Amino acid sequence: MNDRSNLVSSFPAPPIHYISQCTDSNIKDNLILPPPPPIQGAYTMFGVQYNTEDMIIQPLENQGIRRLYPNTPNFDRKVELKKLNHSIIANFLDLLEILIRCPSSPERERKIEDLNLLFINFHHLVNEFRPHQACQSLMLMLERQYKERMCYVNHFRDHFQAVEENLSNCLDNFPDQLEMKFLNDPTLKKIWIDCMQKSHMKRSESEKSNQIVEMKIDPEDIALCHLADKIVHRNC
């Protein structure tokens, strides 16, 4: 019973209080529970203890594993991966030779341990590329989204130009004496007259404002402007 209680599922079920709240009616009425806040500090996931302040990729020394490649920040990872790969192949061939000649030899266990250490170092060195891989994947995803949206924008512009040309052609093909049949409707006729009166009033107001501006101009300023124009034309 204790062994069964200590088992941890690889894909545990969600908390039951979230499952019971996620009904169709609650989702429609926006009554579902919000997600819990991010955990700070230590937490357990799949039976393993983690801490939010720890590094994403833990050093081998923290796990009690011997490092087989340099610990300097500027070493060539490609070269070290090739070295580890060659060492794995060489040790695997040695293990095959031991199994052929003397399977019960103690060298067999030692070669298996060496291969295990080589694989752990190789895997850890590959995992150090994961942040760079995630960054590059994000950049590629954003570039793809940018290209898709620009494609949509270009399609929209093409359709907009086509519609604009069609409207222009339709306006050019309108007859000069257009019969306004909608004026037979009293309501539409009243709206049309109101619009025309407002347009006429705005036009007259703008003309009056222009006249006022012209009246405020000093005649001497006008004479100076004409004189400046003559001087410019002579110099040209």
Side-chain angles (χ1 to χ4, degrees):
M1 186 67 181
N2 292 331
D3 295 339
R4 182 174 296 179
S5 62
N6 292 330
L7 292 176
V8 178
S9 175
S10 299
F11 300 98
I16 189 63
H17 58 279
Y18 281 102
I19 299 175
S20 60
Q21 291 292 329
C22 290
T23 60
D24 294 337
S25 59
N26 287 345
I27 293 174
K28 184 178 180 180
D29 298 335
N30 197 17
L31 298 176
I32 57 176
L33 293 175
I39 299 174
Q40 299 294 334
Y43 65 97
T44 303
M45 184 173 63
F46 301 145
V48 181
Q49 189 78 14
Y50 294 96
N51 196 305
T52 56
E53 298 179 358
D54 294 339
M55 298 176 61
I56 298 176
I57 301 176
Q58 293 292 324
L60 291 173
E61 291 78 7
N62 293 357
Q63 306 174 37
I65 301 173
R66 183 163 60 94
R67 185 188 295 268
L68 300 179
Y69 54 88
N71 196 14
T72 57
N74 296 323
F75 70 95
D76 193 345
R77 287 176 169 79
K78 292 182 180 179
V79 174
E80 297 300 327
L81 284 172
K82 289 180 180 179
K83 290 180 181 179
L84 290 172
N85 190 26
H86 293 162
S87 299
I88 289 171
I89 295 173
N91 280 269
F92 182 73
L93 294 175
D94 293 341
L95 178 61
L96 290 179
E97 185 177 358
I98 293 172
L99 292 175
I100 293 171
R101 293 185 177 182
C102 184
S104 60
S105 174
E107 291 291 329
R108 178 175 63 89
E109 296 294 335
R110 192 171 66 181
K111 281 296 176 183
I112 292 175
E113 292 178 0
D114 292 342
L115 281 171
N116 187 28
L117 181 61
L118 287 168
F119 274 115
I120 290 174
N121 277 265
F122 191 91
H123 190 264
H124 188 271
L125 192 55
V126 170
N127 282 338
E128 290 184 353
F129 284 100
R130 298 302 182 189
H132 177 71
Q133 180 186 11
C135 181
Q136 293 297 321
S137 300
L138 180 60
M139 291 174 61
L140 290 175
M141 182 181 66
L142 293 176
E143 289 178 0
R144 180 174 57 81
Q145 292 180 359
Y146 172 77
K147 290 180 180 178
E148 290 178 355
R149 291 175 182 175
M150 289 304 299
C151 183
Y152 294 149
V153 170
N154 292 330
H155 282 305
F156 177 78
R157 287 176 178 172
D158 294 339
H159 288 297
F160 179 79
Q161 291 177 358
V163 171
E164 191 176 19
E165 291 177 359
N166 292 332
L167 289 175
S168 178
N169 294 331
C170 291
L171 292 175
D172 293 338
N173 295 328
F174 273 170
D176 296 335
Q177 299 295 331
L178 183 62
E179 295 182 2
M180 299 182 182
K181 295 182 179 180
F182 65 90
L183 293 179
N184 296 329
D185 189 343
T187 305
L188 296 177
K189 184 176 181 180
K190 184 176 182 302
I191 295 173
W192 173 262
I193 294 173
D194 292 340
C195 292
M196 293 299 294
Q197 288 178 352
K198 290 180 181 179
S199 176
H200 180 70
M201 290 175 61
K202 289 182 179 179
R203 188 180 303 171
S204 60
E205 289 177 358
S206 62
E207 291 177 355
K208 289 181 181 179
S209 61
N210 292 333
Q211 291 177 0
I212 293 172
V213 171
E214 291 178 357
M215 291 174 62
K216 290 182 179 179
I217 298 176
D218 193 352
E220 294 181 358
D221 294 336
I222 297 175
L224 289 174
C225 290
H226 288 303
L227 180 61
D229 291 336
K230 290 180 181 179
I231 294 172
V232 170
H233 287 301
R234 287 176 183 176
N235 293 332
C236 293

